[in-house]
Amino acid sequence: MILRQAVTADPAFEFAADVRAGLLLRGQKELPSKYLYDEVGSALFEVISALPEYGLTRADERLLRMHAAGIVARLNSPLVVAELGSGSGKKTRYLLEALDRGEHTRYCPIEISHAALTMCARELGDIEHISIVGFEREYLDGLREVAAHRRPGEQLLVLFLGSTIGNFDRPADVTFLRSVRNTLQTGDALLLGTDLLKPIPQLLDAYDDALGVTAAFNLNLLARINRELGGNFRLSDFEHEARFNPKTRSVEMHLRSKHAQTVHITRAGLSVRLEEGETIWTESSHKYSPSELLQLAMAAGFRFQGQWTDQEWPFAETLLVAE
Ligand SMILES: C[S@@+](CC[C@H](N)C(=O)[O-])C[C@H]1O[C@@H](n2cnc3c(N)ncnc32)[C@H](O)[C@@H]1O
């Protein structure tokens, strides 16, 4: 894999600034979900993907396995593929293998997690007609760079799988997809994998598994602050909580303070007081209906090309084309 890393901002400085801003909020304290994915977080997310309660990844994978040929048949040639937040890229293999159309294809995973990019290169590095160019970047920075280096006549296919779009609040999801659209040329494609609404107990189990892996994934954010920013969070003083918010149709992950406490974070220059029962909101996963997805896509400047849904775990793969 060729790896392109960001050379500008100091990541620790940005992390400290975001932690400061989120923990100093007057009402609900927050931490951005992107910081869940350091080396430990990315490894834990891989385990979550295999848990019986987390049917989402298996549904996404089933759809790609069953329909890769049909999806690829709707795309042009030559093609360059960019994947936003690829993670390990395991299920992307089905699409990349289906792209064997007698020519070489560049696959560009865009990830803030170095560990995820390393896993991705290991996972997909053996596909003969694919060359991997990894971008250790934020989604849009990476996508702009891929778009800037495309060759004349190449169609750009953007993959945004695993329902990661659900981490954006409504209507920030439309705003984000519009920015993706504005980076593309007319005729480029976006394949969006999204989790659909389902019974609340099933959703809550998916984000609060019996083994406690999702709890560890969530608590690792505090451990990461301790490791990288000199925080003194005692993990045993917090507990993981998943709750469904009916107004936003999302599952929220929180970290609940078990008692009143003050935490110090040296490299963020911060002391923060948490009351008993107070929570830090770490992630939202919004759930969609198939028709809402079409409205979302249209509002962002895309035209509908095809949709495939999984019945076992309601999930949709939607192929869109930039208008
Ligand atoms: C929910 S995981 C999904 C991984 C994979 N796409 C899948 O379907 O299993 C989200 C991934 O996006 C990455 N990520 C989160 N925020 C990001 C950002 N702002 N820019 C780039 N990557 C990001 C994380 O490191 C993580 O690997």
Side-chain angles (χ1 to χ4, degrees):
M1 174 176 72
I2 298 171
L3 179 64
R4 302 205 198 286
Q5 285 169 302
V7 280
T8 47
D10 172 359
F13 180 80
E14 215 177 294
F15 184 26
D18 286 345
V19 166
R20 228 186 119 72
L23 295 185
L24 286 178
L25 285 172
R26 282 201 174 186
Q28 174 69 61
K29 293 180 174 44
E30 294 177 24
L31 289 169
S33 63
K34 65 180 181 181
Y35 293 115
L36 290 164
Y37 298 92
D38 65 346
E39 188 177 357
V40 177
S42 287
L44 286 172
F45 183 75
E46 279 305 295
V47 182
I48 290 172
S49 299
L51 292 172
E53 292 94 335
Y54 198 77
L56 197 153
T57 306
R58 279 184 297 281
D60 203 359
E61 184 163 8
R62 259 194 307 276
L63 288 168
L64 295 175
R65 191 174 61 228
M66 286 169 66
H67 303 291
I71 294 168
V72 164
R74 288 168 157 86
L75 301 169
N76 300 345
S77 182
L79 189 75
V80 56
V81 182
E83 177 160 12
L84 307 178
S86 62
S88 73
K90 230 180 206 170
K91 52 191 149 64
T92 307
R93 167 175 290 277
Y94 297 107
L95 282 173
L96 296 180
E97 287 186 340
L99 276 172
D100 190 3
R101 300 185 288 191
E103 64 198 12
H104 220 81
T105 302
R106 284 189 325 289
Y107 166 63
C108 306
I110 298 165
E111 256 297 338
I112 39 160
S113 162
H114 183 81
L117 275 180
T118 306
M119 280 192 262
C120 188
R122 206 180 311 136
E123 192 69 46
L124 302 172
D126 65 334
I127 308 177
E128 257 183 37
H129 57 281
I130 297 290
S131 52
I132 306 180
V133 185
F135 289 81
E136 196 174 327
R137 298 269 199 287
E138 294 270 345
Y139 302 129
L140 292 174
D141 292 344
L143 188 59
R144 282 189 205 105
E145 209 169 318
V146 173
H149 290 98
R150 67 196 296 177
R151 296 170 191 156
E154 262 178 352
Q155 185 189 29
L156 177 49
L157 166 67
V158 179
L159 306 176
F160 201 19
L161 306 176
S163 207
T164 308
I165 184 68
N167 295 153
F168 290 88
D169 295 339
R170 299 178 172 95
D173 51 359
V174 184
T175 311
F176 178 74
L177 288 186
R178 200 174 294 131
S179 302
V180 170
R181 162 63 193 97
N182 291 340
T183 312
L184 304 180
Q185 293 175 4
T186 304
D188 285 339
L190 168 67
L191 184 68
L192 194 59
T194 35
D195 202 20
L196 302 176
L197 272 165
K198 48 186 66 62
I200 294 169
Q202 197 181 358
L203 282 175
L204 289 178
D205 282 354
Y207 293 87
D208 195 5
D209 61 277
L211 266 179
V213 185
T214 314
F217 173 70
N218 199 9
L219 283 162
N220 176 55
L221 183 42
L222 302 184
R224 180 178 184 182
I225 293 173
N226 289 350
R227 285 191 295 268
E228 296 181 23
L229 300 179
N232 70 344
F233 282 105
R234 280 165 51 120
L235 302 198
S236 56
D237 288 347
F238 290 85
E239 61 194 0
H240 166 71
E241 185 183 313
R243 42 169 113 137
F244 185 74
N245 183 333
K247 279 198 196 127
T248 54
R249 303 189 297 290
S250 66
V251 181
E252 295 178 1
M253 288 203 319
H254 290 255
L255 289 163
R256 175 178 296 282
S257 174
K258 289 186 188 169
H259 53 80
Q261 55 184 309
T262 300
V263 177
H264 307 282
I265 306 172
T266 314
R267 285 195 276 285
L270 180 66
S271 291
V272 62
R273 165 107 186 144
L274 287 135
E275 301 305 331
E276 183 180 343
E278 187 177 358
T279 71
I280 305 172
W281 181 10
T282 54
E283 190 191 64
S284 291
S285 297
H286 292 76
K287 306 298 165 183
Y288 291 90
S289 70
S291 58
E292 183 189 4
L293 282 173
L294 302 188
Q295 286 165 11
L296 173 70
M298 272 164 48
F302 289 95
R303 159 167 62 79
F304 176 78
Q305 264 262 306
Q307 191 172 69
W308 298 264
T309 50
D310 191 72
Q311 300 311 316
E312 195 177 324
W313 178 279
F315 191 95
E317 222 68 76
T318 309
L319 184 64
L320 304 164
V321 174
E323 293 229 88

